[in-house]
Amino acid sequence: MAVTKILARRGGLSQAIAYVLNGDKTEEQILTAAQGCLTSTACHAMAAVKQRWNKTDGVQLYHVIQSFRPGELSPELALEIAREFAREHLLGYQAIIGVHTDREHIHAHIVFNSVNQFTGEKYHSNAQSYYQQIRGISDRLCREHGLSVIMAGESAKAISYVEWLRRSKGQPTFRSMLEADLRAAIQDANDLGHFFLLMEHMGYEIHHGDRLGFRLRGQERFQYPGRRNTLFTEDGIRAAIQGNLAEIEAGSRPAVLSRPKYRPYLAHPKYTGFLALYVHYLYLLGKIGQRQYPPRMTPHLRQEVMRFEQYRTQFDFLRENEIVTQADMDAFQTRTEESLAKLIKRRTILNVRKKKRQKLYTALADVEALAPSKALYEEGLTGMEAEFERYMEAVALLESSGVPRKRLTEEKAEIYEQLAELNREIRAERQKLKLCHEIQNQVPVMEQDIQRTEEHQKEVRELEYRRR
């Protein structure tokens, strides 16, 4: 299996080539190769191509790295795979290849010119080219040579090499430990507030926002597992707590059910106002997407076709909320702003209640999270003095408060559940206001686009009439 990565560089061509050809890493340059140039004059040849096509600015080179599983292949096979990759994916691009054997894992480096020596075209790297071309070609070459690849059921996004290496050795990573703790908390939780409480008791800090973030106390950064797995989003966790975790894990049930609202059958209405404008614009974009209009279309409209689904969402929003005129829009915004203000006020009251009890809530989490450290300290293990001291301070604070621990736990879980629900409602109201602003900003642009398109169609019809 090869873990691939591509880096764009705006300078340092000679340094990158020197690094790839380093004799200490490539067995005295035996494990090196070149495409479209010589290793000895590669830097000069690449610079000459840039000058010939007058493309000396911007990205100067790209650096592809293929890292293989330790012990899975020989250096010679890694060099052959890298050469085949360059011949297939980098046709016309000068490239220097070097296989490094200075670490436990064999890894190939490919540094190639950003300018094609035959066409003058500059190479462009994006997420689509990475997954469909770079990683796709690399995985196919690995399969052809009998090596393992990242299967479709595994993470679809790139991972750091350190994490991949730990996985390949069977060592736990923080992400895997976090996901295990999340699953354990989901299985034990009664509701979302109880889930947050359990995660805090395991020693995690929680970031509440558009995405749920988790980090162990003392860590610098939060992890956002919901980016890779919808099970660990707020909606996914809520659904799993309700008894669907086994089905979600087995793949027989989605983590988040997106069910459209029930609408009784109605005869097709005659749209007016904003709705009529959106129907006309969506029809226009659909025609352009099907290339049924003459090719002389403005670049702006061609870009608008890519945002077709965004306009569909805005149209559905207008129809669901019966917004037809600017007066309807103003009234809806006023109602939404009032609703948002009430929700924020309720959240502020809850946060004040939470702040008054925050020391007790933190002590409650410390007692649960530091209980294993206290047991190790009592067994005589050194290095646990600070943890034991924090544990005893938390116990003393809870005892002096006079609030039973069970009642405090229930109160904390209830507040967390209410805050989670309020945050969800606030995000929904803010999304409505965002759509309102987007629609009002977009309406004048849409009207201009429709007018220009109709004028263009009129010109085309007149030309065709004259030809006849």
Side-chain angles (χ1 to χ4, degrees), residues 33 80 94 138 149 189 208 213 261 272 288 312 323 342 379 403 406 417 424 429 454 467:
E80 180 60 26
Q94 300 157 301
S138 177
V149 297
H208 299 273
K261 293 181 180 179
T272 58
I288 298 170
R312 281 282 300 271
I323 300 174
K342 291 177 182 177
E379 290 175 5
V403 182
K406 182 179 178 181
E417 173 68 21
R424 186 183 65 80
E429 295 300 305
E454 289 176 345
R467 286 172 188 168

Side-chain angles (χ1 to χ4, degrees), residues 155-434:
S155 175
K157 293 191 176 181
I159 60 174
S160 68
Y161 182 74
V162 173
E163 182 179 354
W164 172 79
L165 190 60
R166 290 178 67 86
R167 286 186 188 179
S168 66
K169 293 181 177 181
Q171 298 175 346
T173 63
F174 174 71
R175 180 173 286 111
S176 64
M177 291 188 291
L178 171 59
E179 291 182 357
D181 288 340
L182 288 168
R183 288 184 173 89
I186 288 171
Q187 289 175 334
D188 294 340
N190 301 322
D191 51 38
L192 192 62
H194 190 205
F195 165 82
F196 291 143
L197 183 144
L198 293 175
M199 289 301 295
E200 277 198 357
H201 289 183
M202 291 181 188
Y204 288 95
E205 296 179 23
I206 304 170
H207 175 262
H208 299 273
D210 290 340
R211 293 188 179 95
L212 283 178
F214 302 88
R215 72 178 178 189
L216 286 171
R217 290 173 187 170
Q219 281 189 317
E220 182 179 352
R221 296 182 179 179
F222 283 93
Q223 292 281 341
Y224 299 90
R227 289 175 175 172
R228 294 174 177 266
N229 190 342
T230 54
L231 170 62
F232 302 125
T233 61
E234 188 173 301
D235 291 336
I237 291 169
R238 186 182 284 108
I241 289 172
Q242 294 171 358
N244 304 317
L245 179 60
E247 295 178 12
I248 293 171
E249 293 283 84
S252 60
R253 180 187 180 95
V256 180
L257 293 173
S258 54
R259 294 178 178 173
K261 293 181 180 179
Y262 168 75
R263 292 196 190 97
Y265 173 77
L266 295 173
H268 196 280
K270 182 174 178 62
Y271 292 122
T272 58
F274 290 151
L275 293 173
L277 177 65
Y278 267 83
V279 168
H280 193 163
Y281 201 65
L282 288 168
Y283 172 78
L284 173 65
L285 296 183
K287 284 289 186 181
I288 298 170
Q290 297 168 9
R291 299 185 179 179
Q292 293 182 11
Y293 270 102
R296 285 178 52 207
M297 191 56 57
T298 63
H300 168 70
L301 271 178
R302 293 193 184 279
Q303 293 175 1
E304 291 292 89
V305 173
M306 305 297 292
R307 301 170 60 192
F308 186 84
E309 290 304 321
Q310 177 181 337
Y311 290 114
R312 281 282 300 271
T313 301
Q314 293 174 0
F315 173 73
D316 292 339
F317 170 75
L318 291 170
R319 185 172 58 182
E320 288 172 4
N321 294 285
E322 299 180 352
I323 300 174
V324 178
T325 64
Q326 184 62 47
D328 295 336
M329 176 70 77
D330 294 339
F332 181 84
Q333 280 187 273
T334 301
R335 291 195 303 270
T336 305
E337 289 169 354
E338 290 174 354
S339 175
L340 181 61
K342 291 177 182 177
L343 290 170
I344 291 175
K345 184 177 180 180
R346 286 172 55 194
R347 186 176 66 175
T348 301
I349 293 171
L350 272 178
N351 278 326
V352 169
R353 283 178 55 195
K354 179 184 172 185
K355 188 175 181 180
K356 289 180 179 178
R357 295 280 203 179
Q358 190 60 57
K359 290 184 179 179
L360 293 178
Y361 292 163
T362 303
L364 197 62
D366 285 344
V367 168
E368 295 290 338
L370 299 175
S373 301
K374 177 241 185 188
L376 292 172
Y377 175 82
E378 291 177 344
E379 290 175 5
L381 184 68
T382 59
M384 294 293 172
E385 293 79 5
E387 288 80 1
F388 178 75
E389 184 177 349
R390 279 180 56 196
Y391 175 87
M392 295 306 296
E393 289 176 355
V395 170
L397 181 60
L398 290 173
E399 290 178 350
S400 63
S401 68
V403 182
R405 194 174 301 182
K406 182 179 178 181
R407 195 178 87 189
L408 190 63
T409 302
E410 293 173 351
E411 176 189 302
K412 181 180 178 181
E414 182 184 353
I415 287 181
Y416 277 26
E417 173 68 21
Q418 292 176 5
L419 282 172
E421 183 62 25
L422 280 173
N423 284 329
R424 186 183 65 80
E425 294 178 11
I426 288 171
R427 287 196 297 270
E429 295 300 305
R430 283 176 173 165
Q431 181 62 26
K432 292 177 185 177
L433 288 176
K434 181 182 177 182

Side-chain angles (χ1 to χ4, degrees), residues 27-254:
E27 299 183 7
E28 301 302 327
Q29 295 192 357
I30 293 175
L31 299 172
T32 61
Q35 174 178 287
C37 59
L38 300 175
T39 55
S40 57
T41 59
C43 185
H44 177 74
M46 292 184 186
V49 168
K50 295 179 189 297
Q51 291 176 356
R52 185 198 318 158
W53 293 102
N54 194 26
K55 293 185 177 180
T56 57
D57 57 348
V59 175
Q60 299 295 300
L61 65 102
Y62 287 90
H63 188 166
V64 174
I65 305 171
Q66 288 180 301
S67 300
F68 299 91
R69 190 191 298 272
E72 191 174 35
L73 81 172
S74 64
E76 292 75 16
L77 180 55
L79 180 60
E80 180 60 26
I81 291 174
R83 293 178 68 176
E84 291 179 11
F85 174 87
R87 282 196 295 269
E88 182 171 346
H89 182 58
L90 303 174
L91 185 64
Y93 291 93
Q94 300 157 301
I96 294 296
I97 304 168
V99 173
H100 291 187
T101 59
D102 57 325
R103 295 186 182 179
E104 182 181 0
H105 65 284
I106 293 172
H107 51 287
H109 293 266
I110 306 172
V111 167
F112 64 95
N113 194 355
S114 60
V115 181
N116 191 299
Q117 63 178 328
F118 300 127
T119 65
E121 180 183 1
K122 292 204 75 171
Y123 184 93
H124 293 285
S125 176
N126 53 43
Q128 184 177 6
S129 68
Y130 171 75
Y131 286 110
Q132 293 183 358
Q133 299 175 32
I134 294 176
R135 179 164 159 180
I137 294 172
S138 177
D139 285 354
R140 178 171 53 76
L141 292 173
C142 285
R143 282 193 296 267
E144 290 175 357
H145 288 278
L147 305 179
S148 60
V149 297
I150 299 175
M151 301 305 293
E154 298 181 32
S155 175
K157 293 191 176 181
I159 60 174
S160 68
Y161 182 74
V162 173
E163 182 179 354
W164 172 79
L165 190 60
R166 290 178 67 86
R167 286 186 188 179
S168 66
K169 293 181 177 181
Q171 298 175 346
T173 63
F174 174 71
R175 180 173 286 111
S176 64
M177 291 188 291
L178 171 59
E179 291 182 357
D181 288 340
L182 288 168
R183 288 184 173 89
I186 288 171
Q187 289 175 334
D188 294 340
N190 301 322
D191 51 38
L192 192 62
H194 190 205
F195 165 82
F196 291 143
L197 183 144
L198 293 175
M199 289 301 295
E200 277 198 357
H201 289 183
M202 291 181 188
Y204 288 95
E205 296 179 23
I206 304 170
H207 175 262
H208 299 273
D210 290 340
R211 293 188 179 95
L212 283 178
F214 302 88
R215 72 178 178 189
L216 286 171
R217 290 173 187 170
Q219 281 189 317
E220 182 179 352
R221 296 182 179 179
F222 283 93
Q223 292 281 341
Y224 299 90
R227 289 175 175 172
R228 294 174 177 266
N229 190 342
T230 54
L231 170 62
F232 302 125
T233 61
E234 188 173 301
D235 291 336
I237 291 169
R238 186 182 284 108
I241 289 172
Q242 294 171 358
N244 304 317
L245 179 60
E247 295 178 12
I248 293 171
E249 293 283 84
S252 60
R253 180 187 180 95

